[in-house]
Short mmCIF file of all heavy atoms in Angstrom, two decimals:
data_model
loop_
_atom_site.label_atom_id
_atom_site.label_comp_id
_atom_site.label_asym_id
_atom_site.label_seq_id
_atom_site.Cartn_x
_atom_site.Cartn_y
_atom_site.Cartn_z
N PHE Z 443 22.60 -12.69 -2.80
CA PHE Z 443 22.10 -14.00 -2.48
C PHE Z 443 22.69 -14.55 -1.16
O PHE Z 443 21.98 -15.20 -0.40
CB PHE Z 443 22.34 -14.96 -3.66
CG PHE Z 443 21.45 -14.64 -4.80
CD1 PHE Z 443 21.95 -13.99 -5.93
CD2 PHE Z 443 20.10 -14.91 -4.75
CE1 PHE Z 443 21.13 -13.64 -7.00
CE2 PHE Z 443 19.25 -14.55 -5.78
CZ PHE Z 443 19.77 -13.94 -6.89
N LYS Z 444 23.93 -14.24 -0.93
CA LYS Z 444 24.56 -14.73 0.32
C LYS Z 444 23.87 -14.11 1.55
O LYS Z 444 23.75 -14.76 2.56
CB LYS Z 444 26.05 -14.42 0.28
CG LYS Z 444 26.88 -15.52 0.88
CD LYS Z 444 28.36 -15.26 0.63
CE LYS Z 444 29.20 -16.29 1.34
NZ LYS Z 444 30.61 -15.99 1.24
N ASP Z 445 23.50 -12.87 1.41
CA ASP Z 445 22.90 -12.15 2.56
C ASP Z 445 21.36 -12.18 2.53
O ASP Z 445 20.70 -11.40 3.22
CB ASP Z 445 23.36 -10.69 2.57
CG ASP Z 445 24.80 -10.60 3.05
OD1 ASP Z 445 25.28 -11.61 3.56
OD2 ASP Z 445 25.42 -9.50 2.90
N PHE Z 446 20.83 -13.05 1.65
CA PHE Z 446 19.39 -13.05 1.41
C PHE Z 446 18.59 -13.10 2.70
O PHE Z 446 17.65 -12.31 2.91
CB PHE Z 446 19.02 -14.25 0.52
CG PHE Z 446 17.69 -14.11 -0.15
CD1 PHE Z 446 17.53 -13.24 -1.19
CD2 PHE Z 446 16.62 -14.85 0.26
CE1 PHE Z 446 16.30 -13.12 -1.84
CE2 PHE Z 446 15.37 -14.76 -0.35
CZ PHE Z 446 15.22 -13.87 -1.40
N PHE Z 447 18.96 -14.02 3.64
CA PHE Z 447 18.19 -14.15 4.87
C PHE Z 447 18.88 -13.48 6.06
O PHE Z 447 18.48 -13.68 7.21
CB PHE Z 447 18.04 -15.66 5.24
CG PHE Z 447 17.33 -16.48 4.22
CD1 PHE Z 447 17.98 -17.46 3.50
CD2 PHE Z 447 15.97 -16.30 4.01
CE1 PHE Z 447 17.31 -18.22 2.56
CE2 PHE Z 447 15.27 -17.07 3.10
CZ PHE Z 447 15.95 -18.03 2.37
N THR Z 448 19.90 -12.68 5.80
CA THR Z 448 20.75 -12.26 6.91
C THR Z 448 20.18 -11.02 7.64
O THR Z 448 19.97 -9.98 7.05
CB THR Z 448 22.16 -11.90 6.38
OG1 THR Z 448 22.69 -13.03 5.74
CG2 THR Z 448 23.05 -11.45 7.54
N PHE Z 449 19.91 -11.27 8.92
CA PHE Z 449 19.59 -10.14 9.78
C PHE Z 449 20.27 -10.39 11.12
O PHE Z 449 19.94 -11.31 11.82
CB PHE Z 449 18.07 -10.03 9.98
CG PHE Z 449 17.70 -9.07 11.08
CD1 PHE Z 449 18.09 -7.73 11.00
CD2 PHE Z 449 16.98 -9.45 12.15
CE1 PHE Z 449 17.79 -6.85 12.00
CE2 PHE Z 449 16.64 -8.57 13.17
CZ PHE Z 449 17.03 -7.25 13.07
N ALA Z 451 20.88 -9.14 14.75
CA ALA Z 451 20.29 -8.19 15.72
C ALA Z 451 21.32 -7.69 16.69
O ALA Z 451 22.32 -8.32 16.89
CB ALA Z 451 19.15 -8.88 16.45
N MET Z 461 18.62 -4.99 8.16
CA MET Z 461 17.16 -4.86 8.01
C MET Z 461 16.82 -4.08 6.76
O MET Z 461 15.89 -4.43 6.02
CB MET Z 461 16.59 -4.19 9.28
CG MET Z 461 15.07 -4.25 9.38
SD MET Z 461 14.36 -5.82 8.87
CE MET Z 461 14.31 -6.72 10.36
N VAL Z 464 17.27 -6.51 3.96
CA VAL Z 464 16.22 -7.52 3.88
C VAL Z 464 14.92 -6.91 3.33
O VAL Z 464 14.28 -7.51 2.45
CB VAL Z 464 15.97 -8.12 5.31
CG1 VAL Z 464 14.65 -8.81 5.37
CG2 VAL Z 464 17.08 -9.06 5.66
N LEU Z 465 14.57 -5.71 3.83
CA LEU Z 465 13.33 -5.07 3.39
C LEU Z 465 13.43 -4.58 1.95
O LEU Z 465 12.42 -4.30 1.30
CB LEU Z 465 12.99 -3.91 4.28
CG LEU Z 465 12.53 -4.29 5.71
CD1 LEU Z 465 12.32 -3.04 6.56
CD2 LEU Z 465 11.27 -5.12 5.65
N LEU Z 468 14.14 -8.67 -0.40
CA LEU Z 468 13.09 -9.65 -0.48
C LEU Z 468 11.90 -9.17 -1.33
O LEU Z 468 11.42 -9.91 -2.17
CB LEU Z 468 12.62 -10.05 0.94
CG LEU Z 468 13.70 -10.67 1.83
CD1 LEU Z 468 13.11 -11.12 3.12
CD2 LEU Z 468 14.43 -11.79 1.12
N PRO Z 469 11.43 -7.95 -1.16
CA PRO Z 469 10.32 -7.50 -2.04
C PRO Z 469 10.84 -6.80 -3.30
O PRO Z 469 10.12 -6.01 -3.87
CB PRO Z 469 9.53 -6.54 -1.19
CG PRO Z 469 10.25 -6.41 0.10
CD PRO Z 469 11.60 -6.96 -0.07
N PRO Z 471 11.24 -7.51 -6.48
CA PRO Z 471 10.34 -7.49 -7.67
C PRO Z 471 9.22 -6.51 -7.49
O PRO Z 471 8.87 -5.75 -8.43
CB PRO Z 471 9.84 -8.93 -7.76
CG PRO Z 471 10.79 -9.73 -6.97
CD PRO Z 471 11.34 -8.86 -5.92
N TYR Z 569 -12.07 -11.23 -10.81
CA TYR Z 569 -10.65 -10.91 -10.68
C TYR Z 569 -9.82 -11.75 -11.64
O TYR Z 569 -8.62 -11.88 -11.46
CB TYR Z 569 -10.14 -11.24 -9.28
CG TYR Z 569 -10.99 -10.77 -8.15
CD1 TYR Z 569 -11.61 -11.69 -7.35
CD2 TYR Z 569 -11.10 -9.42 -7.88
CE1 TYR Z 569 -12.36 -11.29 -6.26
CE2 TYR Z 569 -11.86 -9.01 -6.78
CZ TYR Z 569 -12.47 -9.93 -5.98
OH TYR Z 569 -13.20 -9.55 -4.90
N GLY Z 571 -7.40 -12.85 -14.11
CA GLY Z 571 -6.42 -12.47 -15.11
C GLY Z 571 -6.05 -11.02 -15.04
O GLY Z 571 -6.69 -10.20 -14.35
N LEU Z 572 -5.01 -10.67 -15.76
CA LEU Z 572 -4.51 -9.30 -15.74
C LEU Z 572 -5.30 -8.46 -16.76
O LEU Z 572 -4.68 -7.74 -17.57
CB LEU Z 572 -3.01 -9.29 -16.11
CG LEU Z 572 -2.07 -9.94 -15.09
CD1 LEU Z 572 -0.67 -9.95 -15.62
CD2 LEU Z 572 -2.16 -9.19 -13.78
N LEU Z 610 -0.78 -4.10 -12.67
CA LEU Z 610 0.12 -4.69 -11.65
C LEU Z 610 0.30 -3.72 -10.48
O LEU Z 610 0.34 -4.10 -9.34
CB LEU Z 610 1.46 -5.05 -12.26
CG LEU Z 610 1.61 -6.37 -12.93
CD1 LEU Z 610 3.00 -6.50 -13.54
CD2 LEU Z 610 1.37 -7.50 -11.95
N PHE Z 615 -6.71 -6.67 -9.94
CA PHE Z 615 -7.26 -7.97 -10.20
C PHE Z 615 -7.25 -8.86 -8.94
O PHE Z 615 -7.61 -10.02 -9.00
CB PHE Z 615 -6.41 -8.67 -11.30
CG PHE Z 615 -4.94 -8.53 -10.99
CD1 PHE Z 615 -4.32 -9.38 -10.08
CD2 PHE Z 615 -4.18 -7.52 -11.56
CE1 PHE Z 615 -3.00 -9.24 -9.78
CE2 PHE Z 615 -2.84 -7.34 -11.23
CZ PHE Z 615 -2.24 -8.23 -10.35
N LEU Z 619 -6.39 -12.52 -0.68
CA LEU Z 619 -5.03 -12.95 -0.32
C LEU Z 619 -3.98 -12.08 -0.98
O LEU Z 619 -3.08 -11.54 -0.33
CB LEU Z 619 -4.82 -14.42 -0.69
CG LEU Z 619 -3.34 -14.89 -0.52
CD1 LEU Z 619 -3.01 -15.06 0.93
CD2 LEU Z 619 -3.09 -16.15 -1.28
N LEU Z 620 -4.11 -11.93 -2.29
CA LEU Z 620 -3.13 -11.19 -3.02
C LEU Z 620 -3.12 -9.73 -2.59
O LEU Z 620 -2.05 -9.05 -2.53
CB LEU Z 620 -3.39 -11.27 -4.53
CG LEU Z 620 -2.31 -10.75 -5.45
CD1 LEU Z 620 -0.93 -11.29 -5.07
CD2 LEU Z 620 -2.64 -11.12 -6.89
N LEU Z 623 -1.01 -9.48 0.37
CA LEU Z 623 0.41 -9.58 0.02
C LEU Z 623 0.89 -8.25 -0.51
O LEU Z 623 2.00 -7.81 -0.18
CB LEU Z 623 0.63 -10.69 -1.01
CG LEU Z 623 0.30 -12.11 -0.58
CD1 LEU Z 623 0.57 -13.09 -1.69
CD2 LEU Z 623 1.15 -12.50 0.65
N TYR Z 624 0.08 -7.62 -1.36
CA TYR Z 624 0.41 -6.29 -1.86
C TYR Z 624 0.59 -5.32 -0.71
O TYR Z 624 1.55 -4.56 -0.63
CB TYR Z 624 -0.73 -5.74 -2.77
CG TYR Z 624 -0.47 -5.94 -4.24
CD1 TYR Z 624 -1.15 -6.85 -5.00
CD2 TYR Z 624 0.46 -5.13 -4.90
CE1 TYR Z 624 -0.95 -7.01 -6.36
CE2 TYR Z 624 0.69 -5.27 -6.25
CZ TYR Z 624 -0.02 -6.21 -6.99
OH TYR Z 624 0.20 -6.32 -8.32
N ILE Z 626 1.25 -5.87 2.44
CA ILE Z 626 2.45 -6.14 3.25
C ILE Z 626 3.73 -5.74 2.50
O ILE Z 626 4.64 -5.14 3.05
CB ILE Z 626 2.48 -7.64 3.66
CG1 ILE Z 626 1.32 -7.91 4.60
CG2 ILE Z 626 3.80 -8.01 4.30
CD1 ILE Z 626 1.11 -9.38 4.90
N SER Z 627 3.75 -6.03 1.19
CA SER Z 627 4.94 -5.61 0.41
C SER Z 627 5.07 -4.10 0.44
O SER Z 627 6.17 -3.56 0.53
CB SER Z 627 4.82 -6.08 -1.05
OG SER Z 627 4.97 -7.48 -1.10
N MET Z 630 6.48 -3.09 3.64
CA MET Z 630 7.90 -3.40 3.67
C MET Z 630 8.66 -2.30 2.91
O MET Z 630 9.80 -1.94 3.29
CB MET Z 630 8.18 -4.78 3.06
CG MET Z 630 7.78 -5.91 4.01
SD MET Z 630 7.82 -7.53 3.20
CE MET Z 630 9.44 -8.07 3.61
N ILE K 60 -3.00 -23.11 -2.26
CA ILE K 60 -2.20 -22.00 -1.74
C ILE K 60 -1.43 -22.50 -0.53
O ILE K 60 -0.23 -22.24 -0.37
CB ILE K 60 -3.12 -20.84 -1.30
CG1 ILE K 60 -3.86 -20.24 -2.51
CG2 ILE K 60 -2.32 -19.78 -0.60
CD1 ILE K 60 -3.07 -19.30 -3.33
N CYS K 71 12.88 -22.35 1.43
CA CYS K 71 13.67 -21.36 2.17
C CYS K 71 14.55 -22.00 3.23
O CYS K 71 15.71 -21.61 3.45
CB CYS K 71 12.77 -20.33 2.79
SG CYS K 71 12.17 -19.09 1.61
N VAL K 72 13.98 -23.00 3.95
CA VAL K 72 14.77 -23.68 4.99
C VAL K 72 15.97 -24.36 4.35
O VAL K 72 17.11 -24.17 4.81
CB VAL K 72 13.88 -24.72 5.73
CG1 VAL K 72 14.73 -25.58 6.63
CG2 VAL K 72 12.82 -24.05 6.55
N LEU K 74 17.40 -23.71 1.50
CA LEU K 74 18.36 -22.73 0.96
C LEU K 74 19.21 -22.11 2.09
O LEU K 74 20.41 -21.91 1.91
CB LEU K 74 17.63 -21.61 0.24
CG LEU K 74 17.24 -21.89 -1.20
CD1 LEU K 74 16.60 -20.67 -1.83
CD2 LEU K 74 18.48 -22.30 -2.02
N SER K 75 18.56 -21.82 3.25
CA SER K 75 19.38 -21.23 4.29
C SER K 75 20.33 -22.24 4.90
O SER K 75 21.44 -21.88 5.31
CB SER K 75 18.48 -20.58 5.39
OG SER K 75 17.50 -21.46 5.80
N MET K 78 23.72 -22.34 3.32
CA MET K 78 24.69 -21.26 3.56
C MET K 78 25.36 -21.49 4.91
O MET K 78 24.68 -21.76 5.91
CB MET K 78 23.95 -19.93 3.54
CG MET K 78 23.33 -19.60 2.19
SD MET K 78 22.53 -18.02 2.27
CE MET K 78 21.08 -18.29 1.26
N ARG K 80 26.70 -19.61 7.19
CA ARG K 80 26.31 -18.78 8.33
C ARG K 80 25.03 -19.31 8.95
O ARG K 80 24.90 -19.41 10.19
CB ARG K 80 26.15 -17.35 7.84
CG ARG K 80 25.75 -16.39 8.93
CD ARG K 80 25.31 -15.05 8.38
NE ARG K 80 26.41 -14.37 7.75
CZ ARG K 80 26.28 -13.55 6.71
NH1 ARG K 80 25.07 -13.39 6.19
NH2 ARG K 80 27.29 -12.93 6.17
N HIS K 81 24.06 -19.64 8.10
CA HIS K 81 22.74 -20.02 8.62
C HIS K 81 22.76 -21.46 9.13
O HIS K 81 22.04 -21.78 10.03
CB HIS K 81 21.66 -19.82 7.56
CG HIS K 81 21.57 -18.39 7.14
ND1 HIS K 81 21.49 -17.36 8.03
CD2 HIS K 81 21.53 -17.80 5.88
CE1 HIS K 81 21.44 -16.20 7.38
NE2 HIS K 81 21.47 -16.45 6.07
N GLN K 84 23.73 -21.25 12.55
CA GLN K 84 22.65 -20.76 13.41
C GLN K 84 21.70 -21.89 13.78
O GLN K 84 21.24 -21.97 14.91
CB GLN K 84 21.89 -19.63 12.71
CG GLN K 84 22.59 -18.30 12.73
CD GLN K 84 21.91 -17.26 11.90
OE1 GLN K 84 21.52 -17.53 10.75
NE2 GLN K 84 21.65 -16.11 12.46
N GLY K 122 0.39 -14.83 -15.27
CA GLY K 122 0.37 -13.48 -14.69
C GLY K 122 0.19 -13.50 -13.17
O GLY K 122 1.08 -13.25 -12.42
N ILE K 123 -1.03 -13.90 -12.78
CA ILE K 123 -1.36 -13.87 -11.34
C ILE K 123 -0.53 -14.85 -10.60
O ILE K 123 -0.12 -14.61 -9.48
CB ILE K 123 -2.85 -14.12 -11.16
CG1 ILE K 123 -3.64 -13.06 -11.87
CG2 ILE K 123 -3.21 -14.22 -9.67
CD1 ILE K 123 -4.81 -12.60 -11.16
N VAL K 126 2.75 -13.29 -9.75
CA VAL K 126 2.60 -12.20 -8.79
C VAL K 126 2.38 -12.77 -7.40
O VAL K 126 3.03 -12.36 -6.40
CB VAL K 126 1.42 -11.27 -9.18
CG1 VAL K 126 1.22 -10.21 -8.14
CG2 VAL K 126 1.67 -10.66 -10.54
N LEU K 127 1.49 -13.76 -7.26
CA LEU K 127 1.23 -14.41 -6.00
C LEU K 127 2.46 -15.04 -5.43
O LEU K 127 2.79 -14.89 -4.23
CB LEU K 127 0.16 -15.49 -6.20
CG LEU K 127 -1.27 -15.19 -5.79
CD1 LEU K 127 -2.15 -16.34 -6.21
CD2 LEU K 127 -1.36 -15.00 -4.29
N PHE K 129 5.68 -14.37 -6.00
CA PHE K 129 6.66 -13.41 -5.50
C PHE K 129 6.18 -12.80 -4.16
O PHE K 129 6.97 -12.64 -3.25
CB PHE K 129 6.83 -12.27 -6.53
CG PHE K 129 7.91 -12.56 -7.52
CD1 PHE K 129 7.62 -12.61 -8.89
CD2 PHE K 129 9.21 -12.80 -7.12
CE1 PHE K 129 8.61 -12.90 -9.82
CE2 PHE K 129 10.20 -13.07 -8.06
CZ PHE K 129 9.90 -13.13 -9.39
N GLY K 130 4.85 -12.49 -4.08
CA GLY K 130 4.34 -11.93 -2.88
C GLY K 130 4.54 -12.86 -1.69
O GLY K 130 4.98 -12.45 -0.62
N LEU K 131 4.21 -14.11 -1.91
CA LEU K 131 4.35 -15.11 -0.80
C LEU K 131 5.83 -15.33 -0.42
O LEU K 131 6.19 -15.39 0.75
CB LEU K 131 3.71 -16.44 -1.18
CG LEU K 131 2.26 -16.66 -0.78
CD1 LEU K 131 1.83 -18.03 -1.20
CD2 LEU K 131 2.10 -16.53 0.73
N LEU K 132 6.67 -15.44 -1.46
CA LEU K 132 8.08 -15.68 -1.24
C LEU K 132 8.65 -14.56 -0.36
O LEU K 132 9.44 -14.79 0.57
CB LEU K 132 8.83 -15.78 -2.55
CG LEU K 132 10.36 -15.95 -2.41
CD1 LEU K 132 10.70 -17.28 -1.78
CD2 LEU K 132 11.06 -15.82 -3.76
N THR K 133 8.25 -13.32 -0.70
CA THR K 133 8.72 -12.16 0.08
C THR K 133 8.45 -12.34 1.55
O THR K 133 9.31 -12.17 2.40
CB THR K 133 8.02 -10.88 -0.42
OG1 THR K 133 8.36 -10.70 -1.77
CG2 THR K 133 8.42 -9.68 0.40
N ILE K 134 7.20 -12.71 1.87
CA ILE K 134 6.81 -12.78 3.26
C ILE K 134 7.47 -14.01 3.98
O ILE K 134 7.97 -13.87 5.08
CB ILE K 134 5.27 -12.83 3.38
CG1 ILE K 134 4.75 -11.42 3.07
CG2 ILE K 134 4.82 -13.25 4.74
CD1 ILE K 134 3.37 -11.37 2.69
N ALA K 136 10.23 -15.50 3.16
CA ALA K 136 11.69 -15.27 3.34
C ALA K 136 11.92 -14.29 4.47
O ALA K 136 12.89 -14.42 5.25
CB ALA K 136 12.28 -14.75 2.04
N PHE K 137 11.03 -13.30 4.63
CA PHE K 137 11.15 -12.33 5.72
C PHE K 137 11.01 -13.04 7.08
O PHE K 137 11.81 -12.84 7.99
CB PHE K 137 10.13 -11.23 5.54
CG PHE K 137 10.25 -10.11 6.54
CD1 PHE K 137 11.40 -9.35 6.60
CD2 PHE K 137 9.25 -9.85 7.46
CE1 PHE K 137 11.52 -8.32 7.53
CE2 PHE K 137 9.35 -8.84 8.38
CZ PHE K 137 10.49 -8.09 8.42
N GLN K 139 11.49 -16.14 7.62
CA GLN K 139 12.65 -17.01 7.77
C GLN K 139 13.83 -16.25 8.32
O GLN K 139 14.51 -16.72 9.21
CB GLN K 139 12.99 -17.63 6.42
CG GLN K 139 14.29 -18.40 6.33
CD GLN K 139 14.12 -19.76 6.95
OE1 GLN K 139 13.08 -20.13 7.47
NE2 GLN K 139 15.18 -20.56 6.91
N SER K 140 14.06 -15.03 7.82
CA SER K 140 15.23 -14.27 8.29
C SER K 140 15.05 -13.88 9.78
O SER K 140 16.00 -13.82 10.52
CB SER K 140 15.50 -13.05 7.40
OG SER K 140 14.45 -12.14 7.54
N LEU K 141 13.82 -13.60 10.19
CA LEU K 141 13.55 -13.29 11.60
C LEU K 141 13.71 -14.52 12.45
O LEU K 141 14.30 -14.46 13.52
CB LEU K 141 12.13 -12.72 11.78
CG LEU K 141 11.88 -11.34 11.20
CD1 LEU K 141 10.46 -10.88 11.47
CD2 LEU K 141 12.84 -10.33 11.74
N LEU K 143 15.65 -17.11 11.82
CA LEU K 143 17.09 -17.42 11.88
C LEU K 143 17.79 -16.58 12.96
O LEU K 143 18.69 -17.03 13.61
CB LEU K 143 17.73 -17.15 10.55
CG LEU K 143 17.60 -18.25 9.50
CD1 LEU K 143 18.02 -17.74 8.14
CD2 LEU K 143 18.43 -19.45 9.90
N THR K 144 17.32 -15.34 13.13
CA THR K 144 17.92 -14.44 14.10
C THR K 144 17.48 -14.72 15.53
O THR K 144 18.27 -14.82 16.45
CB THR K 144 17.61 -12.96 13.75
OG1 THR K 144 18.00 -12.76 12.44
CG2 THR K 144 18.35 -12.02 14.69
N TYR K 145 16.15 -14.89 15.69
CA TYR K 145 15.63 -14.92 17.06
C TYR K 145 15.32 -16.34 17.53
O TYR K 145 15.50 -16.65 18.69
CB TYR K 145 14.38 -14.04 17.14
CG TYR K 145 14.67 -12.59 16.95
CD1 TYR K 145 14.32 -11.93 15.81
CD2 TYR K 145 15.34 -11.86 17.94
CE1 TYR K 145 14.59 -10.58 15.62
CE2 TYR K 145 15.63 -10.55 17.77
CZ TYR K 145 15.25 -9.90 16.61
OH TYR K 145 15.52 -8.58 16.42
#
Side-chain angles (χ1 to χ4, degrees):
Chain Z
F443 288 106
K444 218 171 174 185
D445 285 347
F446 198 73
F447 298 113
T448 302
F449 170 59
M461 192 40 91
V464 163
L465 290 176
L468 300 186
Y569 314 112
L572 293 175
L610 273 176
F615 47 81
L619 171 74
L620 190 49
L623 295 180
Y624 261 109
I626 293 171
S627 290
M630 286 170 94
Chain K
I60 296 279
C71 282
V72 171
L74 276 184
S75 49
M78 297 181 217
R80 180 191 294 150
H81 300 312
Q84 282 173 311
I123 299 219
V126 177
L127 258 173
F129 272 120
L131 266 182
L132 177 65
T133 298
I134 287 160
F137 185 63
Q139 171 79 357
S140 66
L141 291 182
L143 279 167
T144 306
Y145 294 107

